[in-house]
Amino acid sequence: MSAPELALDAPEVAARRREFAVLLGEFRRTAVLVPLGDGPGPDGERGFLTADLGGIRFILAFSDEHALARYAQVRGEYRREWTYQTILGARLLDVAVPAAGVPCGVALDCADGEDGLVFPPVRGIVPDEAAVDHEEGEAT
């Protein structure tokens, strides 16, 4: 049996939106660790470590070295040296996501199950021009 659908104006939905807005604000103000992948980025430098899921690319970010170590452990790559950059969450969402050139969001602490967060490429999270729910020519 599926969970009952909630109306978009239901108090539970409004409360969850407020909670997410707080988490998004905290993420935007926080410096996170972003491992570098093996392939080149747009300027020929090493690009960020990403994962593609359902046609959307996610930049993998970690709240601290312990979260990155948990990810490495899950991948069986804990002995490898992980090169990363420390980047403000707002810069990831506002600059790196649009620069990806494909639908892109950010996954924070992706090895932490329910404690991880996903910031999808939708309006209110990423710039409108990078949002998948933004129509070309639509007024912003």
Side-chain angles (χ1 to χ4, degrees):
M1 180 175 205
S2 65
E5 290 187 32
L6 294 174
L8 292 178
D9 60 350
E12 296 88 359
V13 173
R16 288 181 184 164
R17 285 185 179 180
R18 285 190 301 274
E19 288 173 18
F20 185 79
V22 168
L23 292 172
L24 176 60
E26 289 177 15
F27 176 74
R28 292 184 67 78
R29 293 184 300 272
T30 301
V32 294
L33 310 181
V34 182
L36 300 180
D38 294 328
D43 297 325
E45 299 174 2
R46 281 178 70 185
F48 296 140
L49 183 64
T50 62
D52 292 350
L53 179 65
I56 298 176
R57 178 160 298 153
F58 288 92
I59 298 169
L60 303 184
F62 299 91
S63 55
D64 56 31
E65 288 181 341
H66 295 291
L68 177 55
R70 288 189 297 274
Y71 175 78
Q73 180 74 30
V74 167
R75 290 187 51 102
E77 298 180 20
Y78 55 90
R79 295 183 191 271
R80 167 186 151 188
E81 181 178 328
W82 289 79
T83 304
Y84 60 84
Q85 292 182 355
T86 303
I87 302 173
L88 195 61
R91 189 155 175 79
L92 276 178
L93 295 173
D94 297 342
V95 178
V97 164
V102 296
C104 184
V106 176
L108 178 68
D109 296 341
C110 59
D112 291 350
E114 292 181 12
D115 291 332
L117 288 172
V118 174
F119 298 100
V122 296
R123 288 185 285 188
I125 296 177
V126 301
D128 286 350
E129 64 274 8
V132 295
D133 59 344
H134 179 260
E135 300 281 331
E136 262 318 299
E138 181 180 289
T140 55

